[in-house]
Amino acid sequence: MRESYKISEIAKIFNISRRTLIYYDEIDLFKPYYIDEENGYRYYSEHQTYVLRFIIALKNSGFSLNEIKKYTNFKSIEESQEFLESKIEAMKEKIKNLEKSIEIVKIKYDQLEKVKSSEGLKPGIVTDINFKMIITDVKKPYGYVQTEKAFKELSQIEKNLQLKEKKHVAIVGMKNLKKLNVYPLKFVGSVIPDELEHSAAINVEEKKCATITHKDSFENLKNSYKKLMDFIEDNSYKIIGNSLEISSEEKIQLEGGIGEVIEIMVPIK
């Protein structure tokens, strides 16, 4: 059995850099048992290879260096168990957050699949629209900042209601609609299940709507409205209500910039 190993040998055995071992020494996590005063060489004992293997295993398991240092200094089983219990809970929370992130990425992927499809690009008619939504006012002067604040308020309501699937609704006033002014928005909302109750909830019921699906950047939203308004005029329909824009909360990167898939519905008769 060898009595000692040079730092370069330890680095090679464990496939880590000399700089890493020096850093572990500097923070008092893993110190060499002997440093030659003449040449500054660091030497490690045979026993220390087991200690380093343990440290690396903890690091690969998601422990920070501070956590490893704290854990390896515990003197009792009870202290170690208490620390590991708290670490397990923290890791469970991290897993939950990762699962949420995966769901968001999946939504973005599915949105891009919808963009690739030609479905909904041409104006059409839908009937018997019926859903429930919570609604939030956009404050004057109805700018982008005020709209974002309204969505932030809406997000808190969604959180309180523990909504799993989020469909946002933007409402464009009928007067602005006829002028193709898709901004400003005066109300934003979120679709909720019929069984949920909330003071800001309203029921949306429309017998007939002209509809088109916008699959482009926000910059080009007016183009989709132009197609829909031309369709309404060409077919001698009359607009009788505010436009409803239904979309997911997730934005996506498109060729023309940031946008989303938006189902636009305009009440008509």
Side-chain angles (χ1 to χ4, degrees):
M1 183 178 291
R2 292 182 57 171
E3 291 185 1
S4 64
Y5 294 85
K6 292 180 181 179
I7 188 171
S8 58
E9 292 176 308
I10 290 291
K12 186 175 182 180
I13 290 169
F14 289 95
N15 195 29
I16 58 178
S17 67
R18 291 177 72 259
R19 178 62 248 176
T20 296
L21 288 167
I22 292 170
Y23 180 65
Y24 286 178
D25 179 13
E26 291 172 348
I27 65 173
D28 295 327
L29 174 63
F30 181 68
K31 302 184 75 65
Y33 86 92
Y34 170 70
I35 299 179
D36 191 311
E37 292 183 0
E38 291 186 8
N39 54 32
Y41 288 175
R42 290 170 164 82
Y43 293 92
Y44 299 86
S45 69
E46 181 85 25
H47 168 72
Q48 284 185 294
T49 61
Y50 298 104
V51 176
L52 182 57
R53 184 176 288 111
F54 181 63
I55 288 171
I56 292 172
L58 289 175
K59 190 170 183 295
N60 290 340
S61 298
F63 285 70
S64 69
L65 295 182
N66 284 336
E67 287 174 329
I68 295 171
K69 187 176 176 181
K70 186 177 180 181
Y71 180 43
T72 53
N73 284 328
F74 287 139
K75 303 301 181 184
S76 71
I77 291 176
E78 288 74 21
E79 280 183 310
S80 294
Q81 284 183 313
E82 185 178 343
F83 174 77
L84 290 176
E85 283 177 357
S86 66
K87 182 62 178 176
I88 289 169
E89 291 305 311
M91 293 173 84
K92 284 181 179 178
E93 187 63 28
K94 191 173 184 179
I95 289 170
K96 269 183 11 183
N97 290 333
L98 282 171
E99 287 174 343
K100 288 179 183 176
S101 296
I102 289 171
E103 287 304 312
I104 289 172
V105 173
K106 281 182 177 178
I107 290 170
K108 291 182 184 294
Y109 181 88
D110 290 343
Q111 293 281 59
L112 290 172
E113 283 294 305
K114 289 180 180 178
V115 171
K116 287 163 63 178
S117 166
S118 61
E119 185 178 352
L121 290 177
K122 292 182 179 180
I125 299 292
V126 291
T127 58
D128 299 323
I129 297 93
N130 193 326
F131 60 88
K132 192 174 184 178
M133 63 179 282
I134 46 176
I135 192 168
T136 304
D137 294 346
V138 179
K139 308 300 182 187
K140 290 181 179 180
Y142 312 116
Y144 289 99
V145 173
Q146 290 75 26
T147 301
E148 283 304 311
K149 285 183 178 179
F151 272 119
K152 189 174 181 180
E153 183 182 336
L154 185 68
S155 179
Q156 186 57 52
I157 298 173
E158 291 173 334
K159 187 177 179 181
N160 294 340
L161 291 174
Q162 297 181 336
L163 294 181
K164 292 182 179 179
E165 184 181 358
K166 297 176 184 177
K167 284 187 176 181
H168 283 167
V169 182
I171 300 174
V172 179
M174 189 164 58
K175 289 182 180 179
N176 286 336
L177 183 61
K178 291 178 178 178
K179 299 175 185 176
L180 284 181
N181 292 332
V182 295
Y183 291 105
L185 301 175
K186 291 191 176 182
F187 305 97
V188 294
S190 183
V191 177
I192 63 172
D194 291 338
E195 63 272 14
L196 281 183
E197 297 295 335
H198 193 274
S199 58
I202 62 170
N203 290 312
V204 177
E205 296 180 3
E206 300 293 348
K207 290 184 178 180
K208 182 187 287 188
C209 285
T211 182
I212 192 171
T213 303
H214 176 76
K215 303 180 181 183
D216 203 344
S217 67
F218 295 118
E219 297 284 331
N220 295 324
L221 183 58
K222 186 179 286 189
N223 295 340
S224 293
Y225 267 102
K226 177 69 167 60
K227 288 181 184 177
L228 189 58
M229 297 303 288
D230 288 345
F231 171 79
I232 291 171
E233 185 177 343
D234 292 343
N235 289 276
S236 302
Y237 290 121
K238 181 180 179 182
I239 298 173
I240 58 172
N242 299 329
S243 172
L244 302 169
E245 299 175 0
I246 301 178
S247 64
S248 104
E249 67 171 340
E250 297 304 326
K251 311 299 181 282
I252 49 178
Q253 177 64 46
L254 298 165
E255 292 178 4
I258 304 299
E260 59 185 336
V261 177
I262 306 172
E263 184 182 2
I264 304 168
M265 295 189 294
V266 177
I268 58 171
K269 69 175 184 179

